[in-house]
Amino acid sequence: MGSQAAWRLAARGAEVVGYDRFAPGHDRSAAGGETRIFRSAHFEESRWVPLLKHADVLWEELQRETGRELRRLTGCLLMGPTEHRQMATVLESIAEHGLDHEVLDVDALAKRFPQYRLEEGEAAVLDRRAGFIRPELSVQTAARRAEELGARIRRYTEVKEIVPVGSGVEVRTDSCSERFDAVVVTVGPWVNDLLPDLPWEVEVRRLVSAWYTPTTEAWFGEERPAFIRTAPHHFYGLPSPDGVSVKIGLNRTLHRLIDGPDRLERTVQPEELEIFTELLGRFLPDLHPDPTRLSVYMEGYTESDRPLVGPLPGAGNENVILLAGFSGHGFKLSPAFGDIAADLALDGDSAQPIDFITTVGRITA
Ligand SMILES: Cc1cc2nc3c(=O)[nH]c(=O)nc-3n(C[C@H](O)[C@H](O)[C@H](O)COP(=O)(O)OP(=O)(O)OC[C@H]3O[C@@H](n4cnc5c(N)ncnc54)[C@H](O)[C@@H]3O)c2cc1C
């Protein structure tokens, strides 16, 4: 979110300074692990589709401006019981917004994508304007593009305090204090540390990603869609861009809560893998059940899964724009939210349809 906001602000001619406690593209927080799913259909709420469309346009623009392949549209399969609520929502969002898709029943899926198993009463929807994004490259590319447009990024510089002063805002680090017209706060799971008085809860969860090697060629055929399964547990996977392995991840309810981002346990215990092994055995039997790589990340979650976006509440805080709590869904939307942050910081409002998500300053704390 930070690198995208820097890009969008710099692109509009704003004078931008960015801070990162590490350096753009690091794997210490929410954005590591080589792939993130992009999709154009939404299975939680079809109201997200216009924001996905806006993000889609900006992903293309960033690729065009920089000549880097940040995203590859390989498609994404949503699989699960036809009666599952998310299956209905995805079909609703497809119909409402005329999205490019195919519906595959058990036989059609087995023929075309034999690496996946559907059970009786299940189906798959192939979202065609979907695929994977390269997160590390994308963060670095957006940050670099912002720098080319004049932004300065202070690497390995932790922000200690953000203080509204008069009509501006002061950013304090251990070594300096700088004053700005507005500040966009995109600290991911560190939000409670930097803004301890935030009136909304952002839970920090620990996410395990596991990589498995295929035992058949089917995984790396001509079509290599990402996938999301809705039931019996919500989980997802992506064939790795290097054609070597398949990354599997779980959903919110299967991620442990942690006390804070500085207490992240990076070692994965064998018992944490049991659920992965169970899901692989039942739905992805052509993956070798021993993982070849395990990595741990973290992310901030709100109760509703909707992010906190907007100026902080309270007199004097209108120039402190918060983007937090993306609840496992933020990467695909990051250029759109970077653009919205630029709208809010420069114009005080955004024409993007964000009223249905938690627009922070409009809520009475
Ligand atoms: C394993 C995993 C899989 C995911 N899969 C998907 C997916 O497939 N599709 C999708 O759309 N989304 C996905 N997400 C969600 C997405 O990656 C996140 O929503 C997104 O990265 C959140 O961005 P952010 O900028 O809010 O936080 P982060 O990416 O965590 O970035 C926060 C930044 O703030 C910096 N920072 C923190 N505190 C300070 C400070 N005090 N001073 C200076 N800098 C500071 C950190 O160094 C970091 O660079 C996934 C997340 C995880 C963890």
Side-chain angles (χ1 to χ4, degrees), residues 1-2 19-26 28-32 35-39 133 135 139 157-160 186-191 194 205 207-209 236 238 247 297-301 323-334:
M1 298 297 162
Y19 301 82
D20 193 335
R21 65 193 304 144
F22 302 114
H26 67 81
R28 316 298 294 169
S29 189
T35 46
R36 290 286 178 275
I37 297 178
F38 179 86
R39 52 199 157 92
I133 313 166
V139 171
T157 307
E158 182 184 349
V159 173
K160 289 288 172 75
T186 59
V187 290
W190 280 271
V191 66
L194 190 59
R205 289 181 182 263
L207 284 70
V208 176
S209 295
Y236 65 89
L238 295 122
K247 184 177 84 172
Y297 306 95
M298 54 186 169
E299 164 81 316
Y301 287 79
L323 299 186
F326 287 91
S327 307
H329 301 298
F331 210 90
K332 63 181 97 50
L333 287 156
S334 57

Side-chain angles (χ1 to χ4, degrees), residues 38-42 49 52 56 93 99-100 127-130:
F38 179 86
R39 52 199 157 92
S40 56
H42 214 268
V49 174
L52 286 167
D56 190 7
S93 89
L99 305 176
D100 188 6
D127 176 355
R128 291 224 246 212
R129 197 151 179 88

